[in-house]
Amino acid sequence: MQQEQRPGRRTVLGAAAALGAGAVALGGAAPAVAATDKAAGGHGGSYKDLPVPTVVGHRGACGYRPEHTFGSYEYALANGADVIEQDVVPTKDGHLVCRHENDITATTDVASHPEFASRKTTKTVDGEKHTGWFTEDFTLAELKTLRAKERIPGTRQHNTLYDGHWQVPTFEEVLKWAEDQGRKRGRRIWLHVETKHPTYFRKAGLGLEERLAKLLRRYGRAGRDGCTFVQSFEPSSLQRLNRLGVGCPKVLLLDDLPTRPWDFVEANDPRTVADLITPKGLTWVSGFAQGIGPWVNQIIPRDKDDRLTEPTTLVRDAHAAGLILHPYTMRNENSFLPADFRRGSDPNAYGDAFAAFKAYFATGIDGIFSDNPDTAALARDAFRKG
């Protein structure tokens, strides 16, 4: 996801779990697809079989472990996530790796590697300048010499304990890990995969969709019942995946209302996100996607004091168009919660996340992305019990 705490692009529960193993043994042929068995406690291959509201582990469980690491994914899987998210970006030699952004300055120890000092550069990505190190300037072998670290250490100091423990995973490694976990648990593991900056990478000769489609087919996840969502902020990326024969459910992510998807900017399409969430816009989206992923403030806006106001009609309108809603992102810390649910004066302390989840669940959303999937799952269970 791109929203953090405010509009604009990119801008006491987590009981201690085991540190989490590293990547499973890799290499060799793709493992056999684990059988889906709802009777054994798993989720079916259709997204309609998932619990509602569905808990999506945002970049794994990044409230507790550095994002997009096997530690984060494993914590999410063990602590209530129904679906686990990956963001994919390419390396110089065309491999897909899991990072929230192609700028890896804040999420790896690359700055401490003198051999890569000359790779630091400034790039314009989707109209914004970024200075740092970028995945597309590294081979996979070079990236594997780096280690992941906590992206927001000032907020999540406890996560810094795990800095340096895990490598940057490839998406194929995640697929193998998911199949291994699926065999152990007797059910397939649901994934939620985002194509990051697809227009930018296509212009750089590193198109994401063909690479993603190939891997999804290899691991039996490209079909309608493949236990995989594909998501993007760019409609054309989802449309391209449809043309490539990827039939798994697709979710169009939606940034702040006045913004335009970057592929719209490149194509001189004047429509904004505000246009896409009208009944007419949602009907158009339903022609190539099965759901939308709006920012939570599009579900319930906040006032000038950062308190919740009345819900919009977006849930009703999206459902009328046949679309599910997986809004983003719920976090436990005061600094991310609406003012209604903050507790005490420490911005990094936990607020009343349960009450916040209840407010969002009451709107009828079908799922939610959360950095704290254990909190989300417990809140979901309490909400369903009434």
Side-chain angles (χ1 to χ4, degrees):
M1 304 302 102
Q2 293 169 321
Q3 292 285 4
E4 293 298 330
Q5 190 174 358
R6 57 183 175 80
R9 294 179 64 85
R10 292 161 192 75
T11 54
V12 180
L13 289 171
L19 182 63
V24 296
L26 303 173
V33 174
T36 299
D37 186 0
K38 292 175 65 179
H43 305 319
S46 169
Y47 67 92
K48 297 179 181 179
D49 296 321
L50 286 165
V52 176
T54 302
V55 173
V56 183
H58 187 227
R59 310 174 200 168
C62 62
Y64 309 110
R65 302 289 186 269
E67 64 190 40
H68 290 313
T69 61
F70 280 109
S72 185
Y73 296 150
E74 289 174 359
Y75 195 103
L77 186 59
N79 288 276
D82 303 306
V83 185
I84 300 174
E85 185 200 30
Q86 297 77 43
D87 300 307
V88 294
V89 293
T91 65
K92 182 179 181 179
D93 48 349
H95 295 275
L96 295 183
V97 294
C98 298
R99 292 287 88 188
H100 175 235
E101 291 290 341
N102 53 325
D103 182 350
I104 55 173
T105 309
T107 61
T108 72
D109 62 357
V110 63
S112 67
H113 284 251
E115 68 273 25
F116 298 136
S118 64
R119 307 276 179 96
K120 188 175 183 179
T121 187
T122 298
K123 297 190 178 191
T124 300
V125 181
D126 293 4
E128 292 188 355
K129 284 190 175 182
H130 299 267
T131 298
W133 288 265
F134 299 82
T135 59
E136 65 268 28
D137 296 330
F138 291 78
T139 66
L140 178 58
E142 290 172 332
L143 273 183
K144 284 295 186 179
T145 67
L146 308 180
R147 292 297 182 272
K149 68 176 186 178
E150 172 56 34
R151 181 177 58 86
I152 48 173
T155 301
R156 293 172 174 166
Q157 191 276 333
H158 57 277
N159 277 11
T160 64
L161 173 65
Y162 306 102
D163 285 357
H165 189 75
W166 291 288
Q167 293 181 329
V168 174
T170 68
F171 182 56
E172 184 165 18
E173 287 170 349
V174 172
L175 290 169
K176 291 179 179 181
W177 168 82
E179 296 303 336
D180 180 68
Q181 291 295 318
R183 283 192 296 269
K184 291 177 180 177
R185 296 166 183 268
R187 62 175 176 85
R188 296 203 77 186
I189 306 304
W190 271 87
L191 304 177
H192 216 306
V193 188
E194 180 182 348
T195 58
K196 301 292 296 192
H197 313 300
T199 295
Y200 168 84
F201 284 120
R202 181 160 298 280
K203 291 176 71 174
L206 291 167
L208 299 176
E209 292 83 5
E210 291 80 5
R211 291 171 170 84
L212 179 58
K214 182 178 180 180
L215 287 171
L216 292 177
R217 282 193 291 267
R218 182 180 300 170
Y219 288 85
R221 289 181 173 269
R224 182 175 54 188
D225 297 330
C227 294
T228 303
F229 292 97
V230 177
Q231 55 178 331
S232 184
F233 281 93
E234 297 188 20
S236 62
S237 183
L238 301 181
Q239 292 167 331
R240 183 179 294 274
L241 285 164
N242 281 332
R243 292 194 296 270
L244 289 169
V246 175
C248 54
K250 297 169 185 68
V251 175
L252 179 64
L253 301 171
L254 299 168
D255 208 328
D256 195 31
L257 295 178
T259 65
R260 295 156 66 198
W262 189 252
D263 54 343
F264 281 18
V265 174
E266 293 274 351
N268 294 316
D269 187 325
R271 288 177 295 171
T272 65
V273 170
D275 295 315
L276 296 181
I277 64 171
T278 64
K280 179 180 178 181
L282 292 168
T283 297
W284 179 76
V285 171
S286 70
F288 60 86
Q290 287 67 49
I292 57 172
W295 186 28
V296 288
N297 283 20
Q298 294 168 6
I299 304 297
I300 311 179
R302 301 186 193 187
D303 64 17
K304 62 182 179 59
D305 297 317
D306 220 21
R307 293 182 176 275
L308 294 184
T309 61
E310 292 299 313
T312 67
T313 64
L314 181 55
V315 174
R316 182 191 69 196
D317 294 342
H319 285 165
L323 297 165
I324 61 171
L325 298 94
H326 287 175
Y328 64 91
T329 304
M330 266 292 296
R331 301 171 168 97
N332 286 358
E333 292 89 357
N334 278 325
S335 59
F336 299 116
L337 290 170
D340 319 54
F341 309 113
R342 296 170 192 163
R343 298 294 179 264
S345 59
D346 182 356
N348 300 324
Y350 281 4
D352 189 359
F354 286 115
F357 273 113
K358 183 177 180 181
Y360 291 119
F361 290 159
T363 65
I365 59 175
D366 302 280
I368 197 162
F369 286 84
S370 177
D371 289 7
N372 309 88
D374 54 347
T375 310
L378 192 56
R380 185 261 312 278
D381 294 345
F383 177 78
R384 292 174 70 177
K385 290 177 182 176

